[in-house]
Amino acid sequence: MKGTLVRISLMSALLVGCSDSAVTQIESGVLSQQIEVTGELVSSNTVNLKPPAIRRVWQYQIKMLAPEGSDVSEGDRVAQLDTSELAQRLSVKSANLETTLQDLETSKLRNAKKLEELKLELAEAKMNQEKSRLKVEISDETVSVIDKKKYQRDAIIATDRVGLIHKKIELESLSAEQRVKMLEGDKQKFELEVAALKKGIQSLTLIAPRGGMVVYGNDQQGNKVAEGQNVFNGDTLLSIPDLKHMQVNMTIPEVEAGRVKVGQKLKIRLDANPERSFNGEIKELGAVFRVKNQDVPLVIFDAVASIQEADTELMRPGMTAKISIDIANNTEQLLVSLDAVHYERGNAYVYTPGLLSNSKQFVSLGAMGKEQVVITSGLNEGDEVLLP
């Protein structure tokens, strides 16, 4: 009788122990799988304002920037770059242009005066030529042979002089034309340079091409630009994004490349407001793998996702976010809680409840999610296993 009571007490204790253990069932379903990555909000429609391309200028100093986050209208001045260097060059070129214009006017007057003098000289030479010709023609028997020869020589000299002055006029006209062409070339050159410098100075005032919110750009060290700082050609001073068309840029580890595809759904949680989540979808995958940075030698690739029903009041470019990419394959499989799985020398097993004791059941596992794992063999749908 006493032995029977002991056995009954032991059995009751075992039954009580079994009833206290949590039990879960093997169920059929789609394994929920996510890849957790980080990203940054950007606008898919952003206007970037950069220093203008100006000849012989590679560096610019920022004199003024519209406050970051401020709303601007189309046509507002949003940035001002230093104009002192171009203004100095404009002063020099303007002085050169003014000097050239004066030289051109002086040269034209001098040329006209010189040609007028030569024309008067030519008229006088022609008059002397005519006198010499008449002397030769009217010479008769009363004129000595010596005088006739003299008249003839004077006539030849007078004719030669007329020809010489004609040649001088021709050469002077050609020389004057060349001098004017040279000065006209200098004038055109300086006019173009002055116009280009004026246009360059005007372009150093950056005007908003559309309304929106101001977002500062980054310098070559990755820091936000600031007033007084020097920037270079190609640097973005500021941008004006369209907040109605936001997207998220992500970096995904190389090891996940085979599991990420265009069209996959995802959840986005802003670090600034993690309580809310937004739905999105991968719309672009980068084709090039790269190292994240010198400090983190992780190979990654870039991806871009759309954001459904973006909150224009909350979302701002540059905000960081955590993204969960859904990589489930929509195929139903046998699933069990990860907490129910144990390991012995690399082999997976679970405990199944029994009337008197629990049994160890070895299983084969498939894909693993965040909370569940696929059972490929060892258990059937509806089987119960114990949770720790």
Side-chain angles (χ1 to χ4, degrees):
M1 185 67 177
K2 185 177 180 180
T4 301
L5 291 174
V6 170
R7 285 194 297 274
I8 292 173
S9 298
L10 179 60
M11 184 176 294
S12 299
L14 291 171
L15 290 172
V16 171
C18 289
S19 64
D20 288 342
S21 300
V23 176
T24 186
Q25 285 188 334
I26 305 300
E27 59 182 15
S28 179
V30 176
L31 179 65
S32 177
Q33 289 181 284
Q34 290 90 28
I35 297 174
E36 304 289 338
V37 298
T38 59
E40 180 179 334
L41 296 190
V42 297
S43 172
S44 60
N45 182 15
T46 299
V47 174
N48 295 319
L49 299 182
K50 301 181 180 183
I54 299 177
R55 184 172 174 265
R56 291 173 54 198
V57 178
W58 301 273
Q59 183 172 294
Y60 305 81
Q61 185 182 45
I62 302 173
K63 303 298 286 186
M64 185 281 290
L65 286 173
E68 187 171 31
S70 62
D71 290 324
V72 296
S73 301
E74 181 180 350
D76 287 351
R77 186 179 72 142
V78 291
Q80 179 65 59
L81 301 176
D82 182 38
T83 62
S84 58
E85 180 184 349
L86 290 186
Q88 183 178 4
R89 285 165 54 184
L90 176 61
S91 176
V92 173
K93 295 299 180 182
S94 296
N96 290 340
L97 175 59
E98 185 63 28
T99 300
T100 301
L101 290 173
Q102 292 176 1
D103 289 346
L104 184 60
E105 186 65 24
T106 301
S107 181
K108 287 180 178 179
L109 292 174
R110 191 197 68 80
N111 293 339
K113 181 180 179 181
K114 183 66 175 177
L115 286 174
E116 188 63 27
E117 291 174 351
L118 287 174
K119 287 178 181 178
L120 290 174
E121 189 176 344
L122 177 62
E124 183 181 355
K126 285 183 176 180
M127 185 176 63
N128 292 332
Q129 181 187 31
E130 182 63 16
K131 288 179 180 179
S132 298
R133 184 181 66 78
L134 290 175
K135 283 185 178 182
V136 171
E137 289 181 354
I138 64 175
S139 296
D140 53 15
E141 295 80 5
T142 63
V143 178
S144 66
V145 174
I146 295 175
D147 287 337
K148 285 184 178 180
K149 288 183 178 180
K150 179 180 179 299
Y151 293 157
Q152 290 172 350
R153 287 197 302 271
D154 290 343
I156 292 172
I157 291 172
T159 301
D160 289 343
R161 180 164 178 73
V162 169
L164 177 62
I165 295 174
H166 272 298
K167 192 68 174 177
K168 286 176 69 175
I169 291 175
E170 181 182 345
L171 291 174
E172 182 61 30
S173 297
L174 182 60
S175 176
E177 183 181 351
Q178 289 176 342
R179 282 197 299 272
V180 169
K181 282 184 177 179
M182 181 184 69
L183 290 171
E184 287 284 359
D186 290 343
K187 170 178 169 285
Q188 185 178 13
K189 171 192 170 187
F190 290 134
E191 284 177 340
L192 290 173
E193 290 177 342
V194 166
L197 286 169
K198 287 181 177 178
K199 183 179 179 181
I201 290 174
Q202 184 178 3
S203 69
L204 293 179
T205 301
L206 276 63
I207 304 299
R210 72 177 187 198
M213 184 187 69
V214 172
V215 177
Y216 287 174
N218 295 327
D219 59 22
Q220 296 181 0
Q221 285 71 45
N223 302 314
K224 292 276 189 182
V225 299
E227 292 182 359
Q229 179 180 349
N230 289 329
V231 292
F232 300 88
N233 284 330
D235 289 345
T236 297
L237 293 176
L238 53 86
S239 59
I240 303 176
D242 182 354
L243 300 182
K244 296 179 182 178
H245 297 87
M246 298 298 289
Q247 64 185 25
V248 59
N249 289 349
M250 305 172 290
T251 55
I252 300 175
E254 179 190 20
V255 295
E256 305 290 2
R259 301 203 294 169
V260 178
K261 297 177 178 60
V262 171
Q264 284 176 327
K265 307 298 181 183
L266 47 80
K267 294 284 186 182
I268 303 163
R269 292 185 183 274
L270 302 177
D271 291 342
N273 192 349
E275 294 80 15
R276 291 184 61 185
S277 67
F278 299 87
N279 296 321
E281 180 179 309
I282 294 179
K283 66 178 186 179
E284 184 180 334
L285 295 176
V288 178
F289 290 87
R290 60 184 177 86
V291 176
K292 189 170 185 179
N293 55 55
Q294 294 180 350
D295 298 327
V296 184
L298 175 68
V299 178
I300 59 172
F301 65 98
D302 298 309
V304 178
S306 61
I307 303 175
Q308 298 175 10
E309 299 179 0
D311 188 337
T312 57
E313 297 297 325
L314 174 64
M315 293 182 173
R316 293 291 182 268
M319 282 185 169
T320 55
K322 292 182 175 58
I323 301 104
S324 298
I325 304 172
D326 184 6
I327 58 172
N329 59 14
N330 296 325
T331 301
E332 290 199 353
Q333 302 172 91
L334 294 180
L335 305 175
V336 69
S337 171
L338 278 172
D339 293 336
V341 181
H342 307 273
Y343 296 90
E344 182 180 283
R345 296 178 181 177
N347 297 315
Y349 68 89
V350 297
Y351 285 113
T352 58
L355 184 60
L356 298 178
S357 64
N358 303 329
S359 300
K360 182 186 291 186
Q361 174 65 46
F362 284 93
V363 294
S364 297
L365 304 180
M368 190 174 298
K370 194 172 183 180
E371 297 178 351
Q372 294 179 305
V373 63
V374 173
I375 299 294
T376 58
S377 65
L379 292 170
N380 298 312
E381 185 178 358
D383 288 348
E384 293 185 339
V385 296
L386 297 177
L387 292 171

